[in-house]
Amino acid sequence: MSRAAVLAGVGGYVPPRVVTNDELAQRLDTSDSWIRTRTGIARRHVVDAGTTTGDLAVEAGQRALKNAGADGADLVIVATTTPDRPCPATAPAVAARMGLTDVPAYDVAAVCSGFVYGLQAGSAAVTAGFAERVLVIGAESFSTILDPADRTTSVIFGDGAGAVLLRAGERDEPGAVLDVHLGSDGSMADLITVRGGGSEERSRGGQPRPGDRYFRMDGKSVFFAAVRRMAESSRTVLSRTGWEVADVDRLVGHQANTRILHAVADQLGLPPERAVLNIERVGNTSAASIPLALADAMADGTLTAGDRVLLTAFGGGATWGSATLTWPDLPVG
């Protein structure tokens, strides 16, 4: 049998503070109806002052370990666009806070595709024999980089974290990561970006330009690029896995926008009810969205053992990726 990375545990966490559409409408030119119609979002969770991405990551990581019945991991990967600091990476501190002070840990920066990128890296580490157990965490405090006056982004994003524990196993086991496809196109870097804070800004000298510290997104262009790339990547990974589209029981896409997820399902020829959705309750949590959706879908029974699952995402960079696995029998609660 061939060695493979097997999903052994899942955990999700969102901060307690909830921001509803009506609350946003009190300070922005918007309404609950406008937001729901265009995004499918009713509420989102945001961090309180003093709570960091690392705090969310630790909580989700601990829940994934508990779900797996494991006491640790040999490698920790944190996918995030909102690290606690520009330097150093957030992952080593997260690992240390979990009692994992002697293991390698690093960040992955692929924005909303970050979890799929991290899943590929973790799976490859297990397959190559570098690690026996890998903790892959997607964590974001996106509210900290949003322009509070920009309704096009403020209504979409939320904060949270999700995590999975991968363990060494066999490819024919339920939960084995069967294949991962990744892609990028740097010519689309300006579609999703925070221009300030890096060497590009600092090398110019002078004062930072107003607004460069905030997240910006060309929503219309992102919509079309996301649907196209997620559908293409999904077809590629399905072909490499040996699955037909009809074989897919659940499509767990990056929770960017309900219309995007339904459009991807339509492009693939999947019934919309096979798409897992939790965006209404948590918004777009970027790198955290897929593992959070997995945790929620497992908890409410949407995902059951034996389901053939397709993951897919599109994010800044531009980056995209997809993965396939058969859902394992994991404890709920």
Side-chain angles (χ1 to χ4, degrees), residues 88-210:
T90 300
V94 168
R97 289 173 60 185
M98 296 179 66
L100 307 173
T101 54
D102 293 322
V103 306
Y106 60 86
D107 288 1
V108 169
V111 197
C112 299
S113 303
F115 176 76
V116 181
Y117 268 65
L119 186 70
Q120 190 280 332
S123 178
V126 171
T127 302
F130 179 77
E132 294 297 309
R133 295 181 298 183
V134 179
L135 187 61
V136 181
I137 306 172
E140 302 283 13
S141 49
F142 233 77
S143 62
T144 62
I145 61 172
L146 297 178
D147 182 346
D150 181 4
R151 76 168 182 171
T152 63
T153 57
S154 290
V155 304
I156 295 174
F157 291 91
D159 303 335
V164 301
L165 182 71
L166 303 175
R167 64 163 175 83
E170 303 293 342
R171 184 176 172 83
D172 61 353
E173 285 187 66
V177 179
L178 300 174
D179 211 326
V180 183
H181 172 262
L182 302 176
S184 75
D185 183 353
S187 70
M188 295 193 287
D190 287 340
L191 292 187
I192 300 171
T193 189
V194 178
R195 293 300 297 262
S199 63
E200 178 184 285
E201 174 192 82
R202 297 181 184 193
S203 66
R204 289 197 309 262
Q207 293 298 312
R209 293 179 296 203

Side-chain angles (χ1 to χ4, degrees), residues 28-92:
L28 295 169
D29 179 20
T30 190
S31 66
D32 175 65
S33 175
W34 188 93
I35 298 169
R36 285 177 185 264
T37 300
R38 287 159 179 79
T39 68
I41 299 168
R43 63 181 189 176
R44 70 288 297 148
H45 293 252
V46 301
V47 295
D48 289 317
T51 300
T52 69
T53 295
D55 295 330
L56 307 181
V58 168
E59 185 66 36
Q62 290 173 334
R63 293 185 181 193
L65 290 180
K66 181 180 179 181
N67 183 243
D71 58 2
D74 308 313
L75 169 64
V76 177
I77 301 170
V78 175
T80 186
T81 312
T82 54
D84 289 357
R85 305 178 186 179
C87 174
T90 300

